[in-house]
Amino acid sequence: MNEMSTAAPATASVMVVDHPLVQHKVTLVRSEDTTTDNFRRLVREISQLLTYEATRDLAMETVAIRTPLAPMQSPMLSGKKLCLVAILRAGNGFIDGMLELLPAARVGHIGLYRDPETLEPIEYYFKMPEDVHERLVIVVDPMLATGNSAIAALNRLKEAGVSALKYVCLIASRPGLRALQAAHPDVAIVTAAIDDTLDAHGYIVPGLGDAGDRLYGTR
């Protein structure tokens, strides 16, 4: 696990999860030879491994329990409840795997599509738990490309009263990271890989193509 600072010290960290299992699966998920079913499985598995790191700093408390042999004091989660927010449509590819680790988490959805000319996000759907402002919210989307969709999603969540936020993605671009950190310096980012550039259409290079198309077998 590496941490990279790309801005001033006050800017939240970027955590690159460089565990061998993660990096092996990222290589497979990037390959154009990976089939749709295997792509879905790999994204699900990577999402679980990233969730492990994204929740490393959750608050704990000590409670009294009894094992079959003796009483003891043992740690359990405490503090704010969780909400996972998927940026549609590709963000849904993360949710099922994350819920296996966080079964009590609520789930929200933000529907955004990217204008092909301006590359700016346009919102078409926003659905959150009523108490989302009381929760730690983890926003998920496989690709952080220009950063525009992530910034728009975080803006909406802050408008809804959310103050505790994290962002998790599979691959981030350096331009997208810079943009996201400039707009939301308080939001920690967890990713499996960082690529240097974007093409003229706003896709990450080398990236993995369009994550939504590869998840759902569309073009």
Side-chain angles (χ1 to χ4, degrees):
M1 176 184 68
N2 291 334
E3 290 192 4
M4 180 193 73
S5 177
T6 60
T11 301
S13 66
V14 177
M15 179 187 295
V16 181
V17 182
D18 60 358
H19 190 285
L21 285 178
V22 174
Q23 295 307 309
H24 173 78
K25 293 177 188 297
V26 169
T27 295
L28 294 175
V29 86
R30 286 184 188 270
S31 173
E32 66 179 357
D33 295 327
T34 298
T35 60
T36 298
D37 57 338
N38 283 329
F39 188 91
R40 289 177 187 151
R41 175 182 56 79
L42 287 162
V43 169
R44 182 189 185 102
E45 291 171 354
I46 294 167
S47 75
Q48 291 180 321
L49 294 167
L50 295 181
T51 300
Y52 179 81
E53 294 297 344
T55 56
R56 180 177 289 276
D57 59 353
L58 291 181
M60 304 290 292
E61 63 180 331
T62 301
V63 299
I65 65 169
R66 183 177 182 87
T67 77
L69 298 179
M72 68 171 293
Q73 299 290 315
S74 193
M76 289 187 70
L77 292 173
S78 67
K80 288 188 176 181
K81 298 177 182 179
L82 293 171
C83 178
L84 307 176
V85 173
I87 299 178
L88 300 176
R89 61 183 166 146
N92 272 348
F94 268 37
I95 293 297
D96 286 347
M98 297 177 80
L99 284 174
E100 288 186 7
L101 296 182
L102 304 169
R106 297 293 186 266
V107 177
H109 295 90
I110 299 178
L112 298 167
Y113 70 89
R114 188 167 62 178
D115 185 290
E117 300 297 327
T118 67
L119 304 184
E120 291 298 317
I122 298 173
E123 182 183 311
Y124 64 90
Y125 188 75
F126 184 83
K127 185 72 171 180
M128 297 293 144
E130 291 184 359
D131 63 348
V132 67
H133 60 284
E134 300 175 0
R135 294 175 178 269
L136 167 61
V137 173
I138 302 177
V139 179
V140 299
D141 196 6
M143 310 301 282
L144 176 63
T146 64
N148 293 337
S149 293
I151 291 168
L154 293 168
N155 285 343
R156 283 289 274 125
L157 288 164
K158 287 184 176 180
E159 290 170 6
V162 178
S163 59
L165 285 154
K166 291 190 176 187
Y167 183 87
V168 176
C169 63
L170 199 163
I171 299 175
S173 76
R174 291 194 186 279
L177 282 175
R178 287 193 292 268
L180 181 52
Q181 287 192 302
H184 294 284
D186 56 318
V187 177
I189 302 164
V190 178
T191 186
I194 299 174
D195 289 356
D196 286 333
T197 60
L198 300 170
D199 69 10
H201 302 288
Y203 286 97
I204 301 173
V205 179
L208 52 71
D210 186 295
D213 284 348
R214 295 194 67 185
L215 279 165
Y216 302 116
T218 56
R219 289 183 180 272

